[in-house]
Amino acid sequence: MEGSEVLGWLYADRYSRPPQRNIHTRMLKPLGFLTWLFGPAIANRPAPLRIGVFVGALLALWLPFYGLAQLSITDPNTRSIAVMAVLFLAFIFLLRFWSRTLYQARLRDRYGLTGGNGNGRELAVGLGAGAASLALLFGLMALLGWTRWRWPGLGIGLTALEGLLVALGVGLAEELVFRGWLWGELKEDYSANTALWGSSLTFAALHFIKPLPEMLRTAPQFPGLLLLGLLLVWARRRCRGRLGMAVGIHAGLVWGYYLAQVGGLVAPRSGPQWLTGVDGNPLAGGLGLLFLLGLGLWVRR
């Protein structure tokens, strides 16, 4: 593709049409800079530029805390939890201004977090579907003699609750970022398929950042991440923009894997890695891809 064609695809006559977004210009004095930054100066720019501005503002808020945490928190696990929690809080803080100034919408309305029975019911259905699909996958591996089930220990109830809370937190955070904000920004400027593939490829790529030798060794994981990204967008589409089912499916998969690994419900896997997954990761094997495909077909039905 020639350079002029790339620019044409990105900018697509943005400057020849009147503004399409109703800009909220009310200045909040303590946070006037953010209101200005997320207002007329950026509102009708192309999606790549809008995304870059948002990410830049997010890093400007978060990096000082990250540097302070590196100097003051000695335990790696505590430091990792702290910096990721602050990153998500900074993201929510900025997203509130983003949705208000660019789209004159409340965060929960624009990003599929509206209340009511619909989102809650879809969250529960997605949670069950995600966990059940992973349980079926491990069950098939057990039938093939590649793993075996273990009796749960006495502390399984606490482990299950802990895993559920972790899974819901991870699911909510990642779905709000990738199927909420990022997919929404791409959908504003591009076709439905471009937004689908753009957000899904970004999701897979950002989960695949690691040293090159490790990337090559775990390469089978990438198609699984991409397929997971696609089916989570399909889940939001199916629910007419509500995010509950996508959060539930994501959380269900994380919860099932947590119970298998941390809860010790599943013994270490044997068998061919191209089927069972590299390092025991179900997303990095042929069987995992088949189950994700089945889950995606169920979502799209």
Side-chain angles (χ1 to χ4, degrees):
M1 182 180 290
E2 297 293 334
S4 60
E5 292 177 339
V6 174
L7 289 175
W9 178 75
L10 288 175
Y11 289 88
D13 80 344
R14 308 252 186 261
Y15 306 110
S16 63
R17 68 180 186 229
Q20 292 184 340
R21 300 181 183 87
N22 191 7
I23 306 303
H24 178 66
T25 57
R26 181 168 60 88
M27 299 295 288
L28 299 177
K29 291 183 180 179
L31 299 165
F33 174 72
L34 284 179
T35 309
W36 170 82
L37 180 65
F38 293 166
I42 193 64
N44 289 299
R45 301 298 180 179
L49 184 57
R50 294 199 311 273
I51 291 168
V53 168
F54 186 93
V55 171
L58 179 61
L59 291 176
L61 281 179
W62 177 68
L63 283 177
F65 177 81
Y66 176 82
L68 181 63
Q70 295 297 318
L71 295 173
S72 59
I73 303 177
T74 56
D75 181 66
N77 289 331
T78 302
R79 183 169 62 240
S80 177
I81 292 170
V83 297
M84 294 308 295
V86 170
L87 178 61
F88 182 63
L89 291 175
F91 173 78
I92 293 294
F93 173 77
L94 287 179
L95 197 61
R96 178 173 175 269
F97 281 89
W98 188 262
S99 59
R100 177 185 297 180
T101 55
L102 265 72
Y103 303 106
Q104 282 197 311
R106 293 181 299 181
L107 185 152
R108 67 180 186 179
D109 294 331
R110 176 161 177 81
Y111 300 110
L113 298 176
T114 51
N117 294 332
N119 242 339
R121 181 173 59 253
E122 289 154 3
L123 172 68
V125 169
L127 183 70
S133 64
L134 207 57
L136 289 171
L137 172 60
F138 287 133
L140 177 59
M141 289 184 183
L143 287 174
L144 294 171
W146 295 338
T147 190
R148 59 183 175 82
W149 294 103
R150 290 171 167 170
W151 286 104
L154 294 177
I156 190 61
L158 183 60
T159 301
L161 177 60
E162 178 184 80
L164 179 60
L165 294 176
V166 169
L168 288 172
V170 170
L172 175 62
E174 294 203 358
E175 292 314 299
L176 192 54
V177 172
F178 292 104
R179 263 61 62 178
W181 169 71
L182 179 61
W183 178 71
E185 290 303 313
L186 294 175
K187 188 165 63 74
E188 284 290 319
D189 288 13
Y190 306 123
S191 68
N193 280 336
T194 300
L196 168 70
W197 285 95
S199 62
S200 300
L201 282 167
T202 304
F203 170 76
L206 290 179
H207 281 77
F208 209 63
I209 296 175
K210 57 188 77 175
L212 182 58
E214 189 66 10
M215 289 177 64
L216 295 174
R217 189 181 71 84
T218 60
Q221 185 180 0
F222 190 85
L225 288 168
L226 177 58
L227 182 54
L228 177 60
L230 293 171
L231 79 86
L232 291 171
V233 173
W234 295 333
R236 186 174 181 192
R237 283 180 177 176
R238 170 179 171 172
C239 298
R240 300 180 180 179
R242 293 186 297 272
L243 206 58
M245 181 173 287
V247 173
I249 291 173
H250 198 147
L253 292 170
V254 173
W255 189 33
Y257 192 69
Y258 191 96
L259 289 173
Q261 298 297 108
V262 179
L265 296 184
V266 178
R269 268 77 75 196
S270 59
Q273 281 196 345
W274 67 275
L275 283 175
T276 60
V278 178
D279 296 336
N281 183 348
L283 288 180
L287 286 179
L289 285 175
L290 286 176
F291 272 81
L292 278 179
L293 182 60
L295 189 58
L297 292 174
W298 170 77
V299 168
R300 296 197 68 184
R301 78 185 195 282

